[in-house]
């Protein structure tokens, strides 16, 4: 499963990219606004840090405006994926941009039939928002399971399921169990994926036991 960082914070992206485990980045207008920086500067910086797909979202709401903004965004770098909302205009723009060879991420997906439309419109990614469904008492991960089932019935669909609005490692674990193609997570959630109290406890015991021997590994490996 691919890991994307759901942030426009370039310090966070640089730090995560250094692990070699980051496959891409997703942004949205709220995340870019939070940086307080110029949109173009932010996008240039992110695309220079990450080789994989970088989703950049349009703010136009009509198909013509989305097409215009989307074409402009796609010119910024070869790894830009244009993010459009799951509306009829967004689907029209998705179909046209995909036809021009531009990768499109159809976002704000909350139902399997919406995901079906995104695939038919040629989206590279569909972004179902699990956390926001949980927030209103629905079962967000159920949506991922349903979309997986629907897409698996139609092998011609090339659209990848990009689980979004991820709030905790449990969402990532469940997404992997279902077979989602990618998860986009806030940096704090990505960092939590490696954490386990028994790992910390076990490591402390190993090191403590070793320290008591008074030996060192490099010394033991160096021929006398
Ligand atoms: O990038 C879209 C999505 O991941 C937003 O998440 O936490 O604002 O619902 P959230």
């Amino acid at each position: 499963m691919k890991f994307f960082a759901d942030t426009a914070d370039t310090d966070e992206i640089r730090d995560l990219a250094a692990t070699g485990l980051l496959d891409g980045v997703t942004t949205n207008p709220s995340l870019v606004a939070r940086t307080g920086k110029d949109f173009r500067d932010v996008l240039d910086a992110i695309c220079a840090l990450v080789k994989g797909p970088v989703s950049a979202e349009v703010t136009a709401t009509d198909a013509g405006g989305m097409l215009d903004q989307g074409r402009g965004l796609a010119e910024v770098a070869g790894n830009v994926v244009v993010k459009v909302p799951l509306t009829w205009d967004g689907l029209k723009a998705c179909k046209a941009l995909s036809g021009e060879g531009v990768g499109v991420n159809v976002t704000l997906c909350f139902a399997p039939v919406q995901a079906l439309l995104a695939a038919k419109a040629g989206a590279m990614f569909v972004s179902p928002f699990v956390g926001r469904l949980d927030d209103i008492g629905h079962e967000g991960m159920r949506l991922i399971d349903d979309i997986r089932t629907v897409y698996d019935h139609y092998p011609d669909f090339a659209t990848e399921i990009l689980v979004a609005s991820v709030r905790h490692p449990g969402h990532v674990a469940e997404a992997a169990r279902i077979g989602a193609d990618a998860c986009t997570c806030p940096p704090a959630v990505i960092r939590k994926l490696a954490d386990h109290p028994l790992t910390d406890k076990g490591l402390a015991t190993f090191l403590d036991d070793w320290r008591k021997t008074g030996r060192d590994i490099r010394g033991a490996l160096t021929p006398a």
Side-chain angles (χ1 to χ4, degrees):
M1 187 170 68
K2 294 171 192 161
F3 282 166
F4 293 171
D6 199 21
T7 183
D9 182 326
T10 47
D11 289 336
E12 292 276 31
I13 293 166
R14 186 177 299 103
D15 191 54
L16 291 167
T19 65
L21 300 176
L22 190 66
D23 299 298
V25 170
T26 55
T27 68
N28 61 39
S30 306
L31 292 171
V32 176
R34 207 172 293 161
T35 66
K37 295 181 184 158
D38 175 70
F39 182 89
R40 176 65 197 254
D41 290 347
V42 171
L43 191 53
D44 279 340
I46 298 174
C47 290
L49 287 169
V50 179
K51 285 202 187 80
V54 174
S55 290
E57 190 159 342
V58 300
T59 51
T61 53
D62 63 300
M66 289 187 210
L67 260 178
D68 182 50
Q69 290 184 356
R71 286 177 182 137
L73 289 169
E75 277 173 16
V76 170
N79 56 339
V80 167
V81 169
V82 176
K83 214 170 173 190
V84 302
L86 211 156
T87 58
W88 284 114
D89 280 75
L91 291 166
K92 266 197 254 176
C94 175
K95 184 80 184 159
L97 288 166
S98 301
E100 294 172 14
V102 174
V104 181
N105 176 356
V106 180
T107 190
L108 290 164
C109 172
F110 293 97
V113 282
Q114 289 184 308
L116 187 58
L117 290 172
K120 284 182 70 67
M124 179 180 276
F125 298 105
V126 65
S127 291
F129 279 31
V130 294
R132 292 193 194 184
L133 280 170
D134 291 350
D135 289 346
I136 60 162
H138 291 236
E139 209 187 319
M141 293 315 300
R142 175 70 192 271
L143 172 61
I144 306 304
D145 208 3
D146 287 344
I147 298 173
R148 182 74 284 158
T149 302
V150 169
Y151 281 11
D152 285 351
H153 286 158
Y154 305 100
D156 286 351
F157 286 164
T159 306
E160 295 189 22
I161 303 171
L162 201 182
V163 180
S165 188
V166 166
R167 301 281 161 76
H168 51 73
H171 278 148
V172 181
E174 189 62 6
R177 192 191 65 75
I178 292 166
D181 302 284
C183 256
T184 188
C185 311
V189 173
I190 296 182
R191 291 199 181 88
K192 276 188 199 156
L193 296 176
D195 290 349
H196 199 287
L198 290 179
T199 303
D200 297 340
K201 192 169 171 236
L203 180 61
T205 306
F206 289 159
L207 295 180
D208 200 37
D209 289 345
W210 183 249
R211 205 173 298 116
K212 286 177 200 152
T213 69
R215 300 189 199 125
D216 101 90
I217 290 199
R218 284 308 300 170
L221 295 176
T222 310

